[in-house]
Amino acid sequence: MGTGEGAGASSYRAPVADIVEALEAAGLWELLALPEFAHLDRPTVEQVVGEFGRFASEVIAPTDAAGDSTGSRRDDRGGVVTPPGFKEAYRRYVDGGWGGLQFPERYGGGGFPWAVAMALQEMFASANMALSINAALTHGAAELLLQWGDDRQRETYLPRLVSGHWPATMELTEPDAGSDLGALRTTATEGPDGRWRISGTKIFATWAEHDLADNIVHFVLARAAGAPAGTKGLSVFLVPKRLLGPSGEPGVANSLRCARVEEKLGIHASPTCVMEYDNASGELVGPLHGGLPAMFTMMNLARVSIGAEGPAVGERAYQQAYAYARARLQGRRPSTPPGERAPIIEHPDVARMLLQVRTLTLASRMVVYAASAERDMARYGAGEAERRSGEARFGLLVPIAKAWATDQGFLASSLALQVHGGSGYLEEAGVAQRLRDSRIGPIYEGTNGIQAIDLAVRKVSRDGGRVMRLLGDDIMATVKVLPLPELGPTAQALEEAHEALTEATAWVADRYTSSPDDVLAGATAYLQLAGATLGGWLMAKRALVARGEGLKGGAGAGEEGSRAKVAAGESNFFAVETLSDAPALLRRVTAGAGRLAPLRDWRPGPA
Ligand SMILES: Cc1cc2nc3c(=O)[nH]c(=O)nc-3n(C[C@H](O)[C@H](O)[C@H](O)COP(=O)(O)OP(=O)(O)OC[C@H]3O[C@@H](n4cnc5c(N)ncnc54)[C@H](O)[C@@H]3O)c2cc1C
């Protein structure tokens, strides 16, 4: 039975074999060799992925369609009521201990790598993207406290965040401060008791009010009285929905409220709140006026989790489109028996779309896992050099994982909808929800345009392209060992893409100081080039993993071919359909800002 066979509009089957294989291609073996993870082995990882996969498919996924149609709603008293089934599913997630796989055991976590936790996060998002964001934010907040909180804060809050008993939020955005955080106005004033009073309005605050838990821990970026202007004057404050009583349990309500829940295109079950803080009681986390680096601890991880939404939505859309394409009969093929019609999957153009959805999903999944694995290396690498390399590569990969993967997720859901023809445009088929849900990925957690600038300017220009070049060396090392002719198209396209990326990197690094606008105008193309090249590299590595293991069965393996053959074919398909854009992307990177002149010179005509 192929992946997704029998998948109805609302069902999801976790692709456990694909996920474990993707983890292997993205560096699982290197992680399991680290002393920190000596207690783990591949079977344990496979077991955890399999168990959570079952939980996501059987418990979480059934809540997804109702979440979309009902949405989370604000009630008359300012509370937010989640859709039917959410409370029960979330309770089972917490009770099952799934919230804290990647956190230290001393706080109730499982001591697993972030990379494995990211695989779980992806399955969560496939099953119900709207609900999964609550978990992603809570993970980011827990990491923020782990790194920047004091002992008391860690002891008080971490066990509750790690278990998911108290979910967390990340509140940066204000009406006048979106991409430009330096403009934010929320204030914090220190009281005589050492606690801070927070006042202001936050917008677009995800899961900032709901009925899933008896407390919510808000992480609010604000400007303390007397702080310098701009981003250097920002601090992070922990502001609980209900203040803790003497025993540490939630007590009286804090002075904050959800003033509105927004109506929006997708992720209807994820409440997007306008939050008003009116002298709310909070505590400082990390250094005063040094909040941005602390917030970045949370944001970087949240960005990778948002990246995981790309393959998450792509996977579910693929399962739906594959099942549909096998069942829907239209037209004929030369092999169709007289008097019968062909399932549309047999038409080459439909097969192309399905393979495109599948390979974009596979590649973006591995880019996200590879970024997470570098995060683990940065933290637990065997020596100083390995940790520093992990840190630098993580920094480089975060914007790529976030932006490239979410772009592919949207493209994949659009193609999966196209496979359905007119039915896809109707809500009944369920694939329209994928398109609507996936559209947020390129916007929130820093738009993809902002990610591209982060990559080109902060990550590449600043170090003269050094870390990207080192990654390029690894890519070429893989090209050299690719078996021919099986992976011939992959080897050729990957070598060309590597060449284009090397040239683009040198250009970006050289050009930024003298002509920043030239680089900014091509930043998105640069990120797309980097994403496609990394994706192609990981597809090639996955094909090698499948060969080495001689894996059989599971998604994608047909009776006639081994899994290795399918993986090689998928890599070659990606090389032809996606990686071959590399030379065109290089031209777009280096075209300069002059091409934007028509917009500057254009004027609207008379009405
Ligand atoms: C559903 C949803 C949930 C969200 N959840 C949260 C949350 O939980 N917490 C939170 O703090 N925020 C949240 N956000 C806010 C989100 O992160 C912002 O919307 C996003 O960062 C963009 O900010 P903005 O909307 O103000 O757009 P703007 O900053 O006004 O950007 C508009 C456009 O201009 C571009 N642009 C802006 N500045 C530049 C620049 N310097 N160079 C190049 N291009 C630029 C952007 O890329 C974008 O295309 C959420 C948003 C939505 C829609």
Side-chain angles (χ1 to χ4, degrees):
M1 183 157 113
T3 300
E5 187 166 278
S10 61
S11 69
Y12 159 69
R13 209 180 59 177
V16 174
D18 277 351
I19 283 180
V20 174
E21 196 173 69
L23 280 169
E24 289 183 282
L28 180 66
W29 291 109
E30 288 84 343
L31 294 179
L32 295 183
L34 298 176
E36 179 69 20
F37 303 121
H39 60 296
L40 299 175
D41 56 16
R42 191 184 182 283
T44 322
V45 169
E46 200 162 6
Q47 190 196 343
V48 165
V49 171
E51 268 180 39
F52 187 78
R54 250 189 320 281
F55 177 76
S57 308
E58 290 167 12
V59 178
I60 302 176
T63 62
D64 190 41
D68 183 53
S69 54
T70 310
S72 286
R73 304 258 172 244
R74 186 174 175 279
D75 65 20
D76 297 341
R77 286 164 297 130
V80 170
V81 182
T82 53
F86 273 51
K87 270 192 192 167
E88 170 68 6
Y90 189 73
R91 185 189 60 73
R92 289 177 68 180
Y93 167 79
V94 172
D95 290 351
W98 293 114
L101 193 74
Q102 67 274 49
F103 292 100
E105 286 163 67
R106 100 167 264 250
Y107 296 110
F112 273 66
W114 267 90
V116 178
M118 204 52 78
L120 269 55
Q121 185 62 31
E122 181 205 315
M123 290 186 279
F124 197 157
S126 283
N128 185 331
M129 179 171 150
L131 180 59
S132 76
I133 307 161
N134 200 1
L137 291 169
T138 306
H139 293 156
E143 190 63 32
L144 190 160
L145 263 197
L146 197 59
Q147 286 193 38
W148 298 87
D150 60 30
D151 288 346
R152 188 193 52 78
Q153 289 169 333
R154 279 202 286 262
E155 296 307 323
T156 309
Y157 288 98
L158 261 181
R160 262 84 159 237
L161 292 177
V162 165
S163 66
H165 273 105
W166 294 353
T169 70
M170 180 178 65
E171 295 173 42
L172 292 71
T173 308
E174 297 180 8
D176 199 33
S179 303
D180 183 9
L181 287 177
L184 72 76
R185 294 204 184 130
T186 297
T187 58
T189 316
E190 194 170 13
D193 57 355
R195 288 191 69 84
W196 291 79
R197 302 282 157 204
I198 319 295
S199 293
T201 300
K202 291 287 175 183
I203 63 168
F204 291 140
T206 297
W207 284 102
E209 177 55 37
H210 57 79
D211 58 6
L212 299 182
D214 62 3
N215 212 354
I216 299 172
V217 189
H218 302 267
F219 285 81
V220 179
L221 199 60
R223 196 179 299 283
T231 53
K232 293 212 163 60
L234 302 177
S235 309
V236 178
F237 296 90
L238 183 163
V239 188
K241 172 181 168 180
R242 290 168 65 194
L243 299 169
L244 307 195
S247 63
E249 290 311 305
V252 294
N254 205 346
S255 51
L256 52 96
R257 69 180 201 111
C258 166
R260 197 168 76 220
V261 171
E262 308 288 4
E263 294 288 333
K264 55 194 190 298
L265 179 68
I267 51 166
H268 292 149
S270 165
T272 304
C273 305
V274 173
M275 294 298 294
E276 287 176 355
Y277 291 83
D278 180 14
N279 267 324
S281 172
E283 45 189 282
L284 178 70
V285 180
L288 187 62
H289 312 325
L292 210 58
M295 212 61 183
F296 260 104
T297 300
M298 179 168 183
M299 282 197 291
N300 278 334
L301 291 167
R303 283 178 176 177
V304 181
S305 300
I306 297 304
E309 290 173 357
V313 176
E315 174 64 40
R316 192 151 179 186
Y318 177 73
Q319 294 187 12
Q320 289 172 306
Y322 182 86
Y324 185 83
R326 284 178 57 139
R328 171 76 174 161
L329 304 176
Q330 282 296 286
R332 296 175 49 78
R333 295 281 300 147
S335 57
T336 312
E340 290 186 19
R341 294 193 295 170
I344 59 170
I345 196 168
E346 292 182 9
H347 296 300
D349 192 55
V350 174
R352 172 194 63 79
M353 289 192 281
L354 283 171
L355 263 173
Q356 185 78 329
V357 176
R358 170 136 173 98
T359 54
L360 293 176
T361 300
L362 291 169
S364 55
R365 170 181 291 146
M366 290 185 287
V367 169
V368 167
Y369 294 177
S372 313
E374 293 299 354
R375 174 60 177 46
D376 292 312
M377 277 296 174
R379 173 66 70 83
Y380 302 115
E384 180 63 25
E386 202 169 67
R387 287 196 291 275
R388 256 198 276 139
S389 155
E391 190 68 46
R393 285 190 177 205
F394 178 63
L396 187 76
L397 293 183
V398 166
I400 304 174
K402 193 274 173 180
W404 193 73
T406 53
D407 278 346
Q408 307 322 306
F410 181 65
L411 177 57
S413 43
S414 179
L415 282 164
L417 189 148
Q418 189 73 15
V419 167
H420 285 73
S423 321
Y425 202 69
L426 308 185
E427 290 294 347
E428 198 184 333
V431 72
Q433 186 193 345
R434 307 295 149 238
L435 187 82
R436 289 186 287 99
D437 283 358
S438 65
R439 189 60 189 88
I440 188 60
I443 296 173
Y444 62 6
E445 221 22 83
T447 63
N448 284 2
I450 296 294
Q451 303 301 321
I453 295 170
D454 177 49
L455 176 70
V457 177
R458 290 189 58 231
K459 307 292 165 59
V460 169
S461 305
R462 254 186 220 171
D463 81 344
R466 192 186 65 87
V467 181
M468 188 65 99
R469 269 197 308 278
L470 290 174
L471 212 55
D473 293 346
D474 288 359
I475 292 174
M476 282 316 290
T478 301
V479 170
K480 294 214 168 72
V481 299
L482 290 179
L484 305 174
E486 298 98 296
L487 283 158
T490 298
Q492 191 193 335
L494 200 48
E495 192 163 358
E496 283 166 14
H498 169 260
E499 230 170 78
L501 181 60
T502 307
E503 196 178 325
T505 300
W507 189 88
V508 164
D510 287 353
R511 189 59 73 106
Y512 185 66
T513 321
S514 58
S515 309
D517 276 3
D518 282 346
V519 170
L520 295 173
T524 288
Y526 181 70
L527 188 143
Q528 288 167 348
L529 175 58
T533 310
L534 286 174
W537 174 46
L538 291 161
M539 289 295 281
K541 286 180 72 166
R542 171 176 174 272
L544 293 177
V545 166
R547 273 172 72 91
E549 291 279 318
L551 294 170
K552 323 184 265 309
E559 277 163 29
E560 351 37 342
S562 70
R563 195 173 176 101
K565 189 171 157 200
V566 174
E570 287 166 341
S571 176
N572 289 337
F573 178 89
F574 184 87
V576 171
E577 289 286 332
T578 301
L579 213 47
S580 57
D581 289 342
L585 285 168
L586 170 63
R587 277 207 294 284
R588 291 222 285 281
V589 174
T590 56
R595 70 189 192 272
L596 306 176
L599 183 69
R600 201 183 47 228
D601 301 338
W602 181 81
R603 294 289 171 273

